[in-house]
Amino acid sequence: MLTRLAIRNIVLIEALDLDFPGGLGVLTGETGAGKSILLDALGLVLGNRADSGLLRAGEERASVTATFEFGVLPAAVREVLVEAEVEIEPGEPLILRRTLKSDGASKAFVNDQPVGAALLRELAPALVELHGQHDDRGLVNPRGHRALLDRYAGADVAGVEAAWRDWRTAGAKLAEARAAIEQAKADEDLLIAYVAELAALEPQEGEEDMLAGARADMQKGERLSGDLEELRVLWDGSDSALATLRGAGRRLDRIAVEHPLLAEALAALDRAVIEAGEAETKLEAAAGALSHDPAELDRIETRLFELRALARKHRCEVDELPAKMREMRAALDAIEAGDAEIGALEAAERAAHGTYRARAEALHANRVAAALRLDEAVAGELAPLKLDAARFRTAVAEQPEERWGPHGIDSVEFLIATNPGAEFAALGKIASGGELSRFILALKVALAEQGGAATVIFDEIDRGVGGAVASAIGERLERLAEGGQLLAVTHSPQVAARGCTHYVIAKSSEGTVTRTSVHLLDSAGRQEEIARMLSGAEITSEARAQADRLLEGV
């Protein structure tokens, strides 16, 4: 709940620090004293548009700080903070601050961490619920009516949401599979042709490198063929250099015993013959490896051309062609198995749809029953609030399937008719602001809702009523404030007397300087303020006595 509000340099407020306890707090004061300034300041710190017109005359900067404290941080608040990556320790108060400069620029902070004003607006619905004379938020906005009815009914919306997600997931899988099969069938003839073309060529991984290497060797052989032939002549035949060396060796062998140097010469010649023989062997091997077969070279080049052309066709590398062929065969197999797969997915989608519909219809029945109970409860609150002729209806309408969603198959809206015979209409279409506020009060009392905003503010809900109606309003505000926090800006002494705490808002002037101040009243101050509200400008003893009776009667 809101525990502290600090305002600096907002309109007529120079410096103001207010502490708010729980229960019902009332704010009173003369007309024009500045009650709306408090609400404007609170609106600023809750993310309303920054307006330099809020700045106190002659000042360069203004600020508003609102402190909220909770036993357990509300889930809606925690989710917003987690999403925005704003850290807050367990048990730590939530402190919102907004600064405003004379040029209209503003800054926002949550627990001294800079944030955007949009984050304050996201937090606001879970923190403060404001009901004014012509407010279009809170209970007036039909967007929240379904959730309010569900809370009142204790409905199992989570189960419907889970069934909705399962149904949407099953539908998405079915649609994806159908699209894939349809695309595959559209490409089936082309796939068959591609697979046949690839199968005929039978590409192998690593084949391109092997063929390219063989072609390079053959092309080298073609270039070196003349040199190799000349070398072969040098080593082949009876007149070759190697044959001459061997002949010299045989002749030297016969005379080598005649002198040691001849023996050494023979040994050297033998080594030369051995080396020359090895050279001959390697030349023959090289000639074989570099042999140039024009027909084989042509076959290799043709094969390389076909492989590379097919790779370009399928926009892949040559080595990827075998995998591409397997992929296309798998697509063809999927087409054959597609009908069975689609059948299974259709069955799963039907089952998920049936589960969702069953849960949504059960939720619908729960909502209809709860709507009747709520209508009866609201009707019981109307007469004491001088709305005897008014009627209230919770409209639960089943929607067409295309508008079903995670919250079920219904639209929910609170409708009212203020005069006999009048048509039911939306809450926000009531002409009288006073009637609207009292309707909202009746609805909140009937809902006795839990899980709403931490702090509820009613701004002059009692305007235009008095006597028994004002007493009925005060009694219901007091009841609503039990266990929570409700603040009421009021002109009614009957309402003011119900407050646990009472603040008076006053405006004073010193020369050309005007200030608005707010003070917490003690018992004597409450009696005097309520007496003023009863009697007007001159407070009489009769007014004080009546104020005592009001305070004693609550």
Side-chain angles (χ1 to χ4, degrees):
M1 66 180 182
L2 176 66
T3 57
R4 186 174 179 82
L5 185 64
I7 303 173
R8 300 290 184 272
N9 297 325
I10 295 291
V11 193
L12 299 179
I13 298 176
E14 184 176 10
L16 181 63
D17 294 285
L18 289 175
D19 293 317
F20 297 98
L24 176 60
V26 296
L27 295 94
T28 63
E30 297 281 1
T31 299
K35 294 184 289 294
S36 62
I37 300 175
L38 288 177
L39 299 181
D40 289 341
L42 187 59
L44 180 66
V45 81
L46 291 174
N48 286 359
R49 186 178 67 85
D51 183 355
S52 59
L54 291 174
L55 199 66
R56 180 174 168 81
E59 300 294 338
E60 292 296 322
R61 183 184 299 271
S63 70
V64 182
T65 303
T67 302
F68 296 85
E69 296 185 38
F70 308 93
V72 177
L73 195 67
V77 174
R78 185 173 58 253
E79 289 172 5
V80 172
L81 295 178
V82 169
E83 179 68 23
E85 298 182 350
V86 174
E87 298 180 359
I88 180 170
E89 296 295 330
E92 183 182 4
L94 178 67
I95 303 174
L96 310 186
R97 182 163 59 93
R98 188 91 178 272
T99 63
L100 176 64
K101 296 172 64 176
S102 57
D103 61 1
S106 72
K107 293 182 180 180
F109 303 86
V110 174
N111 286 38
D112 288 329
Q113 299 173 62
V115 299
L119 181 65
L120 300 182
R121 288 193 291 274
E122 287 186 63
L123 290 169
L127 298 176
V128 176
E129 182 179 327
L130 174 63
H131 299 292
Q133 286 286 307
H134 296 285
D135 189 57
D136 61 354
R137 297 164 293 178
L139 297 180
V140 178
N141 192 335
R143 290 183 181 179
H145 292 177
R146 182 171 54 204
L148 289 169
L149 179 62
D150 288 343
R151 281 205 297 269
Y152 180 77
D156 178 23
V157 181
V160 174
E161 289 178 351
W164 166 264
R165 288 193 299 271
D166 291 344
W167 180 29
R168 293 293 89 191
T169 299
K173 288 181 178 178
L174 176 59
E176 183 180 349
R178 281 175 172 165
I181 293 299
E182 288 176 5
Q183 183 62 47
K185 285 183 176 179
D187 296 338
E188 186 174 12
D189 291 341
L190 188 59
L191 284 172
I192 291 172
Y194 282 164
V195 169
E197 186 178 35
L198 286 164
L201 197 59
E202 290 187 289
Q204 304 295 320
E205 293 181 10
E207 184 179 8
E208 182 184 25
D209 288 343
M210 182 190 68
L211 291 173
R215 182 183 65 173
D217 287 344
M218 295 182 75
Q219 288 173 336
K220 289 177 185 176
E222 185 177 17
R223 292 197 308 271
L224 299 174
S225 59
D227 293 330
L228 290 173
E229 180 60 25
E230 290 179 4
L231 288 169
R232 188 187 64 78
V233 171
L234 291 175
W235 298 101
D236 278 354
S238 57
D239 295 332
S240 68
L242 183 56
T244 302
L245 280 174
R246 286 171 176 161
R250 287 192 297 271
R251 179 169 297 185
L252 186 56
D253 182 55
R254 290 196 294 269
I255 64 174
V257 295
E258 300 297 333
H259 193 278
L261 289 175
L262 292 175
E264 291 177 9
L266 178 61
L269 189 58
D270 286 341
R271 289 195 299 272
V273 170
I274 292 171
E275 293 291 337
E278 290 180 2
E280 180 184 29
T281 301
K282 293 187 182 297
L283 283 170
E284 290 175 352
L290 296 171
S291 62
H292 171 226
D293 181 351
E296 179 63 12
L297 179 58
D298 184 62
R299 184 194 70 78
I300 289 174
E301 288 184 332
T302 300
R303 176 75 175 174
L304 276 172
F305 176 82
E306 291 174 343
L307 288 171
R308 289 170 176 172
L310 204 54
R312 286 194 299 274
K313 184 176 184 177
H314 294 290
R315 298 180 180 179
C316 67
E317 300 296 328
V318 172
D319 279 352
E320 295 173 354
L321 287 173
K324 182 69 69 174
M325 182 167 61
R326 291 192 295 271
E327 179 183 321
M328 292 178 180
R329 282 175 173 162
L332 289 172
D333 292 341
I335 294 173
E336 295 179 6
D339 290 340
E341 181 187 5
I342 292 295
L345 290 172
E346 285 175 341
E349 193 271 345
R350 284 194 300 270
H353 174 271
T355 299
Y356 168 77
R357 179 156 195 161
R359 292 184 182 179
E361 287 177 346
L363 177 59
H364 171 78
N366 192 356
R367 283 169 172 164
V368 170
L372 294 175
R373 297 196 305 273
L374 179 60
D375 293 350
E376 185 177 353
V378 173
E381 296 292 332
L382 296 180
L385 297 174
K386 203 178 178 180
L387 294 169
D388 313 61
R391 292 167 294 151
F392 175 85
R393 175 185 296 169
T394 305
V396 181
E398 189 171 344
Q399 299 296 295
E401 185 166 334
E402 62 269 17
R403 299 186 64 182
W404 292 359
H407 302 296
I409 60 178
D410 307 312
S411 66
V412 177
E413 186 173 7
F414 300 144
L415 304 175
I416 55 174
T418 55
N419 299 304
E423 295 292 330
F424 280 92
L427 282 175
K429 294 187 180 297
I430 298 179
S432 166
E435 285 181 327
L436 175 59
S437 295
R438 280 179 280 147
F439 255 113
I440 291 172
L441 179 59
L443 183 55
K444 285 193 72 69
V445 171
L447 287 169
E449 60 172 305
Q450 300 295 320
T455 299
V456 179
I457 300 175
F458 278 94
D459 181 19
E460 300 187 6
I461 188 175
D462 47 25
R463 177 176 290 183
V465 301
V469 176
S471 294
I473 290 174
E475 187 273 329
R476 281 155 177 77
L477 290 175
E478 184 180 29
R479 195 194 318 168
L480 276 177
E482 292 176 359
Q485 184 184 53
L486 190 149
L487 301 175
V489 178
T490 180
H491 289 287
S492 167
Q494 291 90 342
V495 173
R498 293 276 179 175
C500 298
T501 51
H502 189 155
Y503 305 87
V504 63
I505 304 171
K507 184 167 65 175
S508 61
S509 297
E510 296 179 10
T512 59
V513 178
T514 302
R515 293 184 178 88
T516 289
S517 59
V518 182
H519 302 286
L520 176 64
L521 299 178
D522 57 15
S523 298
R526 291 193 69 191
Q527 181 211 43
E528 196 72 4
E529 173 64 8
I530 292 174
R532 181 200 63 77
M533 297 171 73
L534 287 164
S535 64
E538 182 179 350
I539 302 176
T540 64
S541 57
E542 291 81 0
R544 290 189 177 95
Q546 188 177 352
D548 285 339
R549 287 192 293 272
L550 282 176
L551 289 168
E552 290 170 0
V554 296

